[in-house]
């Protein structure tokens, strides 16, 4: 049997981290089993679904590099199919037309609530023989007794009494299908073998299984993943900070760090924290997913991000950094290669947003931090800066060693400590007090920019 998983987001907003984790688990399981991973956009709620949200989901999937083997399928393009299956159920007497008015249903609900009963449809139209009018919804004839049980791959055996489930509407009065029905038809048509999804869908599962059985379809296996909590133990939401995947991109996270973080948030393999993609594909298993909800921890994500900034191929990190530089309107053609920036700055930034911000001065014009300038560049340092300027001007080999030698020689000649010279020099060429080691900074800036900025600083004095 080929494993087929699907990720089935509703495009009613950005892709949030919980959804991304579900997508990751679905993707990993398909990879691991050499199965298939399908992306299905559940856009039947036309009021809440937007093309921007669809695009946001596709962008996030691409950024995370969770490629799908099939799709994206759009439920709005499958209405004919849902109608066909609803007709089939009607014909076989497994569904029925319900003509109950809004008022009747409202009264029923009030009565039940007053009696402290769970509001549910009472089956009023279930056994009608003749059509009453053109205004109807279609309801599924849920079994009235017995139980639905299934072995959740994460939670074990779950049992639901059919008495708890009423006759679900599968098509609204305007003919549009409802969520539980489209999911069933799609999971069936797409031959999904493993449904991995959030545990907010647990109560839908027995209903979906009943409909699948009515269609003589074998239900897939289900794995309901626990939710992600904020630090306060409440369900993770905007209140807790960023929840959208693309916000994490904007905040400077690498996709590999976010994925590594998300996989561990709810799944474990011993105490191991860091996993390459290849390792994940090898080691991931639904059995390793925890039942208990996990709390989001930004510190840990930052730690992982820095780990990946330091250890990933600098070429790859540079590609992601380019996106941030562009966001800051920094023209990276006018300065060192981003690969060199990554190598020099990896230790100094927890995020790429920070790295981009801290690398501004390598490109374009220098902007002096007034306070830093006043503090570090005073008349007494002019001879040192002049001497360095002269020494550097003569260099034909613009290497770290050669640059370092010029600075060290100047310090020695003027009987100054290295730091006493390096900091004013740093401020003169970068505009501020923080940069990689001074020799590396100058090498990255290049001879032309270094000398031009030294001249500017000296004339400013
Ligand atoms: N469209 C549903 C949601 O976004 C998921 C349905 C499913 O996975 O079965 O919550």
């Amino acid at each position: 049997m080929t494993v087929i998983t699907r990720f089935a987001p509703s495009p009613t907003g950005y892709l949030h981290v919980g959804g991304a984790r579900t997508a990751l688990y679905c993707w990993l399981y398909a990879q691991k089993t050499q199965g298939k991973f399908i992306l299905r956009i559940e856009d039947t709620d036309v009021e809440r679904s937007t093309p921007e949200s669809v695009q946001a989901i596709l962008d996030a999937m691409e950024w995370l590099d969770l490629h799908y083997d099939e799709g994206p399928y759009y439920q709005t393009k499958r209405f004919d199919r849902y109608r066909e299956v609803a007709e089939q159920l009607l014909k076989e007497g497994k569904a029925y037309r319900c003509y109950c008015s809004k008022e009747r249903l409202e009264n029923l609900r009030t009565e039940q609530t007053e009696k402290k009963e769970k509001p549910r449809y009472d089956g009023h139209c279930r056994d009608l023989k003749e059509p009453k009018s053109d205004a109807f919804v279609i309801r599924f004839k849920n079994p009235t007794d017995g139980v639905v049980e299934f072995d959740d791959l994460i939670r074990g055996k779950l049992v639901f009494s059919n008495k708890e489930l009423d006759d679900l509407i599968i098509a609204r009065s305007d003919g549009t299908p409802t969520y539980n029905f489209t999911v069933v038809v799609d999971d069936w048509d797409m031959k999904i073998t493993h449904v991995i999804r959030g545990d907010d869908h647990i109560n839908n599962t027995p209903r979906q299984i009943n409909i699948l059985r009515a269609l003589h379809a074998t239900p897939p296996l289900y794995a309901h993943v626990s939710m992600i909590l904020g630090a306060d133990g409440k369900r993770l939401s905007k209140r807790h900070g960023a929840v959208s995947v693309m916000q994490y991109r904007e905040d400077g996270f690498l996709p590999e760090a976010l994925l590594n973080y998300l996989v561990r948030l709810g799944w474990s393999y011993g105490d191991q924290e860091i996993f390459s993609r290849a390792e994940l594909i090898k080691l991931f298993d639904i059995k390793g997913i925890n039942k208990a909800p996990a709390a989001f921890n930004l510190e840990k994500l930052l730690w992982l991000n820095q780990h990946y900034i330091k250890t990933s191929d600098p070429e790859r990190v540079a590609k992601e950094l380019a996106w941030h530089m562009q966001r800051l309107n920094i023209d990276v053609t006018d300065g060192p290669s981003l690969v060199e920036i990554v190598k020099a700055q990896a230790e100094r930034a927890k995020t790429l947003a920070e790295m981009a911000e801290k690398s501004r001065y390598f490109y374009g014009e220098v902007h002096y931090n007034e306070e830093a300038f006043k503090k570090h560049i005073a008349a007494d340092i002019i001879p040192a800066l002049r001497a360095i300027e002269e020494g550097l001007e003569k260099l034909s080999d613009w290497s770290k060693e050669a640059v370092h030698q010029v600075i060290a020689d100047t310090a020695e000649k003027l009987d100054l400590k290295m730091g006493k010279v390096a900091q004013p020099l740093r401020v003169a060429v970068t505009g501020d007090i923080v940069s990689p080691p001074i020799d590396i900074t100058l090498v990255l800036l290049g001879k032309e920019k270094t000398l031009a900025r030294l001249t500017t600083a000296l004339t400013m004095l």
Side-chain angles (χ1 to χ4, degrees):
M1 176 198 67
T2 308
V3 165
I4 306 180
T5 62
R6 86 311 193 263
F7 176 50
S10 305
T12 53
Y14 44 72
L15 180 64
H16 58 83
V17 286
R21 185 185 60 169
T22 303
L24 172 63
Y25 289 169
C26 294
W27 178 82
L28 275 174
Y29 195 62
Q31 292 290 311
K32 182 190 179 67
T33 53
Q34 290 171 311
K36 216 158 61 171
F37 171 54
I38 293 178
L39 178 63
R40 183 168 85 213
I41 305 288
E42 304 206 319
D43 54 352
T44 52
D45 183 345
V46 280
E47 255 156 48
R48 293 178 61 225
S49 303
T50 64
E52 293 76 28
S53 302
V54 172
Q55 197 52 50
I57 291 166
L58 299 181
D59 289 347
M61 296 290 282
E62 190 185 334
W63 181 64
L64 293 170
D65 197 16
L66 297 178
H67 58 87
Y68 27 93
D69 304 291
E70 264 182 40
Y73 291 113
Y74 294 88
Q75 290 190 322
T76 42
K77 298 212 174 116
R78 289 175 47 78
F79 277 7
D80 287 347
R81 174 63 182 147
Y82 306 132
R83 210 164 289 134
E84 180 181 54
V85 179
E87 284 298 327
Q88 179 189 332
L89 289 173
L90 279 175
K91 220 179 284 161
E92 292 173 5
K94 292 168 179 165
Y96 61 93
R97 294 186 176 86
C98 168
Y99 303 90
C100 289
S101 66
K102 236 195 192 150
E103 294 73 59
R104 178 173 189 277
L105 295 176
E106 261 161 33
N107 289 339
L108 181 65
R109 175 178 277 269
T110 320
E111 257 172 52
Q112 288 169 333
T113 326
E114 272 167 12
K115 281 195 255 166
K116 303 221 173 347
E117 284 172 12
K118 189 169 145 195
R120 58 205 300 281
Y121 183 63
D122 59 356
H124 185 73
C125 297
R126 190 170 162 122
D127 299 313
L128 281 184
K129 293 281 174 295
E130 296 299 321
K132 276 170 94 172
S133 75
D134 284 345
F136 59 83
V137 300
I138 303 176
R139 288 185 186 270
F140 173 68
K141 247 185 207 172
N142 200 79
T144 47
D145 50 21
V147 294
V148 191
E149 50 174 79
F150 65 96
D151 271 309
D152 188 279
L153 298 174
I154 298 170
R155 280 145 215 274
K157 189 196 276 236
L158 297 175
V159 185
F160 296 80
S161 163
N162 273 319
K163 286 209 166 54
E164 293 294 314
L165 312 172
D166 58 0
D167 290 347
L168 183 82
I169 296 176
I170 59 175
R172 302 182 187 93
S173 53
D174 63 0
T176 56
T178 57
Y179 160 72
N180 275 298
F181 185 56
T182 55
V183 167
V184 162
V185 176
D186 287 351
D187 285 344
W188 181 34
D189 283 353
M190 295 170 194
K191 302 188 171 51
I192 303 300
T193 60
H194 293 70
V195 168
I196 305 171
R197 62 181 170 195
D199 65 358
D200 45 336
H201 288 289
I202 281 195
N203 289 328
N204 289 322
T205 306
R207 297 175 177 282
Q208 295 178 6
I209 290 177
N210 279 338
I211 305 176
L212 283 162
R213 293 221 172 103
L215 292 165
H216 306 290
T218 312
L221 297 172
Y222 294 91
H224 288 96
V225 183
S226 288
M227 59 182 145
I228 301 178
L229 306 177
D232 56 359
K234 303 228 169 77
R235 192 188 186 99
L236 188 71
S237 74
K238 272 194 199 154
R239 280 183 302 118
H240 299 101
V243 283
S244 121
V245 167
M246 291 315 245
Q247 182 64 49
Y248 281 95
R249 180 181 204 189
E250 286 175 22
D251 291 348
F253 290 88
L254 279 169
E256 47 269 54
L258 187 58
L259 285 178
N260 192 148
Y261 179 69
L262 289 177
V263 81
R264 278 287 289 105
L265 193 65
W267 172 82
S268 55
Y269 184 78
D271 293 333
Q272 191 170 333
E273 291 289 359
I274 289 167
F275 299 87
S276 67
R277 270 190 176 234
E279 252 179 322
L280 279 180
I281 292 169
K282 201 167 97 196
L283 301 174
F284 180 78
D285 197 353
I286 297 176
K287 282 195 209 87
I289 299 178
N290 308 327
K291 258 189 259 181
F296 201 87
N297 176 339
L298 190 61
E299 282 309 309
K300 192 159 160 195
L301 174 57
L302 279 166
W303 172 76
L304 273 169
N305 200 44
Q306 196 164 29
H307 166 82
Y308 280 103
I309 289 178
K310 287 194 281 198
T311 57
S312 296
D313 176 8
E315 299 261 357
R316 227 208 71 57
V317 182
K319 279 213 183 91
E320 191 60 28
L321 179 63
W323 186 83
H324 289 275
M325 298 302 260
Q326 199 175 6
R327 266 171 65 83
L328 295 179
N329 278 324
I330 299 172
D331 174 11
V332 295
T333 56
D334 177 29
S337 89
L338 290 180
V339 175
E340 295 309 316
I341 294 286
V342 170
K343 287 183 192 160
Q345 299 277 49
E347 294 284 341
R348 281 175 190 75
K350 280 191 173 153
T351 71
L352 294 178
E354 186 187 346
M355 189 184 288
E357 199 53 70
K358 284 183 171 169
S359 304
R360 260 181 201 280
Y361 55 79
F362 285 112
Y363 303 88
E365 298 290 312
V366 63
H367 298 280
Y368 290 107
N369 170 343
E370 249 177 71
E371 206 182 311
F373 197 93
K374 255 196 227 139
K375 178 158 176 222
H376 292 279
I377 308 187
D380 63 334
I381 205 70
I382 297 180
L385 292 183
R386 282 243 148 80
I388 290 173
E389 190 183 26
E390 261 167 47
L392 292 177
E393 207 153 21
K394 287 196 206 107
L395 284 186
S396 52
D397 160 34
W398 194 256
S399 68
K400 179 172 170 258
E401 292 70 26
V403 165
H404 186 88
Q405 203 56 53
V406 170
I407 305 169
D409 288 351
T410 309
E412 202 189 302
K413 210 159 46 193
L414 299 178
D415 199 20
L416 292 168
K417 285 218 177 79
M418 191 65 179
K420 200 84 189 104
V421 187
Q423 200 61 345
L425 178 58
R426 173 173 284 117
V427 174
V429 298
T430 70
D432 215 332
I433 54 173
V434 191
S435 84
I438 190 66
D439 44 8
I440 296 179
T441 303
L442 296 197
V443 170
L444 285 175
L445 271 172
K447 188 171 178 177
E448 202 180 311
K449 263 203 192 89
T450 301
L451 292 176
R453 288 179 181 188
L454 264 172
T455 310
T456 310
L458 284 165
T459 42
M460 274 171 67
L461 267 172

